[in-house]
Amino acid sequence: MSVVATLSRNDEAFAALGLVLDPELDEPITDLGFVRSLEVDDGVVHVHLRLPTSFCSPNFAYLMAGDAKDVLTALPWTERVLVELDDHHDSDKINAGLAADAGYRGTFGHEAEENLDELRATFRRKAYVAAMERSLKAWLRANPDATENDLSTVVLGDLADDRTSNALLRRREALGLRTDPAASALVDHAGRPHTGDLTMVMRRARATRVSIDGNAHFCRGLLQTRYPGAEEQQVPRAEGAFIPLTTVAVPQRTTQEHSR
C-alpha cells in the first residue's frame, strides 16, 4: 500500500471517530482529546481511548467505545477493528466485551441496569434543550424590547441564519421535530409548545445548557491534568457548534446488540 493511501485511510478513520459523541458533554471524542492513538494497517484499525478519570461512568465509557468500534467497522475498507479503553477501572471488562462483540448487556450482565439507547436518547434531549436555549437567547439579544414571555410567538424562521440556529435545526431533526420555518421555536423534546411562565422554562433550559458547557470545560481540564499534552489534541468548544447527531453510520445489527 502506498503512503498516500495509508494517510488517506488514517484520516478517514479519524473523521469517523469524530462522529462519536461523549453523551453527557455533547462533543465528539476527537475534539475532547479522548482518542489516545489511532493506527491503520491496510484494513486493520487499532484505537486506544482515554477518559478524564478512571471512574467515569462505565455505561458512558462503553457507549463511546462501542460507538467507536461501530463507526470504524462501518467503513467499507475495514477488515478488523480493535478498540481498547485505557486506564479505566472497568477497562478489562469493557475491552473483553468489545473484542467478543458481546454487546453492553453481554459485557456487564446484571450490572447493566439501563438500555444504552435510552441513555443516548436522554442526552440527545438535553443537547436539544441547550441548543434551543442558545438560539432563543440570541433572539432576545437581537430584540431588546422583547421579554421571555414573547418567545411563545417565535418561529424558526425568526431566528438568525447562523451556526447556533443550524445546530438547533440538526438537533430537532435528530428528535423527529419539525424544522420548517413556520414551526414554533419553543417546544419540548416531544414537540409540545411550552405554556405558562416562559421565564421559568428558559431558566430551566439555561441550567441544562450551563451544566453541559461547564462539564465539558471541567472534563477537558481533568484530561489535561491526567495526560499532560492532551490539550494539543483538544478543539476549543464553540458555543452553538454543530455536532452531527443524525449522521453516525452505525450498522443496524450492532446497534441492536448494544441494546440487548
Side-chain angles (χ1 to χ4, degrees):
M1 176 179 293
S2 69
V3 173
V4 173
T6 301
L7 289 175
S8 176
R9 286 190 171 184
N10 189 87
D11 292 342
E12 189 175 351
F14 190 79
L17 290 173
L19 299 176
V20 179
L21 304 180
D22 180 298
E24 185 176 26
L25 306 183
D26 189 34
E27 287 194 71
I29 60 173
T30 48
D31 287 6
L32 290 162
F34 290 177
V35 179
R36 190 174 197 173
S37 66
L38 168 64
E39 297 178 6
V40 178
D41 183 9
D42 288 338
V44 179
V45 182
H46 189 185
V47 176
H48 280 271
L49 302 179
R50 60 188 177 186
L51 296 175
T53 72
S54 64
F55 49 85
C56 287
S57 176
N59 52 1
F60 289 3
Y62 184 89
L63 190 151
M64 287 183 278
D67 283 357
K69 184 171 183 178
D70 287 347
V71 297
L72 292 171
T73 300
L75 293 173
W77 48 265
T78 53
E79 300 171 5
R80 181 169 178 263
V81 175
L82 178 61
V83 175
E84 295 184 284
L85 177 63
D86 298 341
D87 307 328
H88 188 273
H89 69 83
D90 268 335
S91 283
D92 290 345
K93 181 180 293 187
I94 290 172
N95 294 341
L98 290 172
D101 289 325
Y104 176 61
R105 294 194 181 279
T107 298
F108 287 97
H110 69 278
E111 298 177 38
E113 296 179 354
E114 60 183 323
N115 186 303
L116 284 187
D117 290 338
E118 295 171 357
L119 178 69
R120 196 190 308 274
T122 295
F123 284 101
R124 185 170 290 184
R125 290 193 291 267
K126 289 185 177 181
Y128 159 69
V129 170
M132 179 186 69
E133 191 273 343
R134 291 187 187 103
S135 293
L136 292 178
K137 182 178 66 175
W139 184 86
L140 287 170
R141 285 197 299 263
N143 296 271
D145 294 332
T147 69
E148 288 175 321
N149 283 316
D150 293 323
L151 295 174
S152 61
T153 64
V154 176
V155 296
L156 295 179
D158 294 329
L159 303 179
D161 183 11
D162 57 16
R163 185 172 60 186
T164 301
S165 297
N166 289 335
L168 173 62
L169 293 176
R170 304 273 184 174
R171 289 175 171 83
R172 287 178 70 115
E173 182 181 5
L175 293 175
L177 303 181
R178 288 176 57 188
T179 58
D180 58 282
S184 175
L186 185 60
V187 297
D188 67 13
H189 66 268
R192 298 175 295 236
H194 285 289
T195 58
D197 186 357
L198 298 187
T199 299
M200 291 302 300
V201 171
M202 286 296 290
R203 186 174 297 174
R204 289 192 293 269
R206 187 175 302 116
T208 297
R209 189 261 303 166
V210 169
S211 175
I212 291 175
D213 289 346
N215 285 340
H217 288 296
F218 182 62
C219 286
R220 285 169 179 272
L222 286 176
L223 190 76
Q224 293 170 18
T225 300
R226 192 180 191 198
Y227 300 103
E231 63 275 8
E232 297 177 5
Q233 295 179 264
Q234 294 176 331
V235 177
R237 183 182 180 92
E239 183 179 75
F242 162 52
I243 295 178
L245 290 170
T246 60
T247 59
V248 180
V250 179
Q252 185 65 25
R253 178 188 63 79
T254 311
T255 302
Q256 292 173 343
E257 185 170 323
H258 280 181
S259 66
R260 286 202 285 264

